[in-house]
Amino acid sequence: MQQWVEQVMREWLLAFGYSFHFGVGSVGPIDTWVQLANSGWAYQWGPSDYVEIHVDSLDSSVRRAVERTIHAVIRHDHSQQPSETVEAWLREDAYRPTVELLREWELPQTEATFSQPQTIELSGGGDWQGQVPGYFVWIRFAASLRASDVSETVEEIIREFLRPEQLEWISGETPSILLYQSLHSLDMYDETFGSPTGGEADATEEETMSFRVLLQALVAALESDGSVLANVIVSELVRHPAWRRRAITSLTLVRRMAERRRAVLTTTGIAPFSDFIAEFTVAALPQAAKQACLAAATSRLPDAAFPLSEDMARTLEGMIAANLNISEAARKLYMHRNTLLHRMDRLYADTGFDIRRFDDAMALFVAHQLSIREEVPNSSQHRV
Amino acid sequence: MARVKLEHIYKKYTADTIVVKDFNLDIEDKEFVVFVGPSGCGKTTTLRMIAGLEDITAGDLLIGDRRVNDVAPKDRDIAMVFQNYALYPHMSVYQNMAFGLKLRKFSKSEIDKRVRDAAKILDIEHLLERKPKALSGGQRQRVALGRAIVREPQVFLMDEPLSNLDAKLRVQMRAEIRKLHQRIQTTMIYVTHDQTEAMTMGDRIVVMKDGIVQQCDTPQVVYSRPANMFVAGFIGSPAMNFLHGQVVEEGGRVYFRANGLSVALPEGRYPTLKSEGAIGKEMVLGVRPEDVHNEEVMLSTYPEAVLDASVEVTEHMGSEVYLHVMAGNQSMIARVNSRFQYRPGSAVKLTLDLNKIHLFHKDTEETVAFQQSERALASSEV
Ligand SMILES: Nc1ncnc2c1ncn2[C@@H]1O[C@H](COP(=O)(O)OP(=O)(O)O)[C@@H](O)[C@H]1O
Ligand SMILES: [Mg+2]
């Protein structure tokens, strides 16, 4: 019973990213289920047990979803595997997007060697609780690195900059390291690295920035002292232990997006989740909405060609990266200003979007993202 | 200490983008070479190929007499200094300098000796116990240099190491790095996008554009005999003036004519102009702002190059004034002594120092070759 509850809970946490507090007890029978104050539920389980559930969510649709799941489970499915029940329910139309998103975030098996969470504290407040907020950091080395050669050096350098709770080598096409860094254990209150990186549960943008600076210094040290070339991919901020797995899986998506961006623009070796908000938002759209948006974009010019050609994609991404500042975009793209203007004219002629305008640029960017979502560049050697 | 040789080096990141193209360079032992060029021209990529942090797509890289294309970076015996110093935040200056040696398993006494020697050279002995946060920008930069020095590498690579410093400190550190080079006598390759930095620091400078070496020579020669319009315009500040016009022959004399202005070219240049087929062609005349003159004596020395111009803007630089003028329909800048007072809109007579003008083919942007005598002249200047 306890196991079952944990299992369901894990699935929900995965699906919603919200925390659920389950209390399992045996304080007399409860008829079917009752809604408690504080958006909690309690329902009967077996002759003498009951389960009490609290959802830390202000989102009424999440609460409704939990409610429905509980109903479904109670009504007919004692026999069935609870995880299947939950998954079957999750497959229902209204919730498909979440599931799809999770599938897309799945790490390939070879890379998913990071140990799974051992237990989740039912009552909260365990060790792990104290370690959020934090980031998963995936440090990928250039293909030429022979891990045995320098792994000791590399670890030693990493530990000079970070205080990882866990650190694991991952073997794959290229050796890499996955580590978890809680912000609390970084005590970098000094001028070199800007504002403090630890402390508050809510990481502000400033904190993300200074973590970035820290990672840039790490990459530079790896190059100069370790003689290795590294890219760093940073997960979303893990604010709750339950987000752990989702954060790990988000790394793959960040990497993919970073590689695609890398293909068109020069970026630094640091790719944090927070740099890819637009792409993630697009990725999270329900399938139907994706199709509708792409169709709407195409309807500007019926024979518009999506996905955009590489040149046009570069032009668009360069303009976005330069805040639609034409001179800056030309510089970023290593392109003459007039060439850029000419490209934008052609883009307008091809698609009906004038990317000098903010709304057009955003709309085309979204349509572009939608149209290229399926492609995965297979460049492993590029710095992301 | 070693020479570094790049032979037909190419770099491609993807199949269709060549980032560095046919890079050839022979760097002497103990030489100080500067790669300079606009952002994105491939300087960093080239430096990283030398360091071994990027693979070389084609060509040979030699350090000393050894081909090192396939030698791991850590075995190349080089040290790098970057723009972001990468000091270890929790270590003292001493530990920061020692760390690289510790990783390489040097003995304690050897580490101590090298760190103290380097600290002495860099004049940071009094800072050894401090943490990076307690250092100024310039001091941190010294520590970063120290971390490279203690390695006693064959070659130093520096990628824009001063670009995080403020302007004043940058000027000071330039001189320090030059001094450092003289003291430790090691081959240095230094990358910058700043042409002043390149001019003031390099024994030789390599001017790059779009992954291609445009010219490689001493600062003096690059300045006075630029190989093409790109180099001419990139090196020097304010930039060289370019006047677009035509070279014509009339009554036995050769003139450069542009809308509203006419300059009689020196006879000494006729042979090359003719042999390069410049007569009757669209050409570009280049003249540096300091070679545009307003003084009476120059106006009478070069009467055949006198232009009537009108002043648009004046920029006071202290001892001199930059006059932004229109001559015909072409805009140019003249650097004149600040004792001359001009108001925007006023007329001014200017002339060009005909010994210092440059001519470029309009289509190829290449310099019209200098003759032997002119070469001698050019290299005796500056
Ligand atoms: N890892 C990479 N993948 C693809 N292109 C790159 C990569 N690194 C640099 N480039 C491209 O190579 C060119 C030269 O870059 P770089 O050597 O950094 O120039 P510089 O140091 O002169 O500013 C640029 O066009 C840049 O976009
Ligand atoms: Mg660079």
Side-chain angles (χ1 to χ4, degrees), chain A residues 262 266 334 382-383, chain B residues 13 19 37-46 54 159-160 191:
Chain A
R262 181 78 206 172
T266 310
Y334 304 109
H382 292 175
R383 299 212 291 150
Chain B
Y13 282 108
V19 172
S39 170
C41 71
K43 306 179 295 289
T44 297
T45 303
T46 307
E54 296 282 357
D159 193 352
E160 315 239 5
V191 161

Side-chain angles (χ1 to χ4, degrees), chain A residues 235-284:
Chain A
S235 75
E236 63 180 309
L237 183 65
V238 185
R239 289 171 196 273
H240 187 282
W243 293 15
R244 190 181 190 185
R245 182 168 162 70
R246 197 185 70 189
I248 295 174
T249 53
S250 78
L251 291 167
T252 319
L253 204 50
V254 175
R255 173 188 151 195
R256 220 185 289 165
M257 289 170 176
E259 274 175 4
R260 188 160 53 229
R261 210 181 264 184
R262 181 78 206 172
V264 291
L265 288 177
T266 310
T267 54
T268 65
I270 316 291
F273 179 86
S274 57
D275 282 6
F276 297 90
I277 292 169
E279 284 95 332
F280 270 97
T281 310
V282 171

Side-chain angles (χ1 to χ4, degrees), chain A residues 160 223 225 229 334 381-382, chain B residues 39-40 48 53 55 88 147:
Chain A
E160 280 305 323
E223 288 184 354
D225 281 331
L229 182 58
Y334 304 109
Q381 238 193 307
H382 292 175
Chain B
S39 170
R48 297 172 72 89
L53 291 171
D55 291 333
Y88 295 94
R147 285 164 38 88

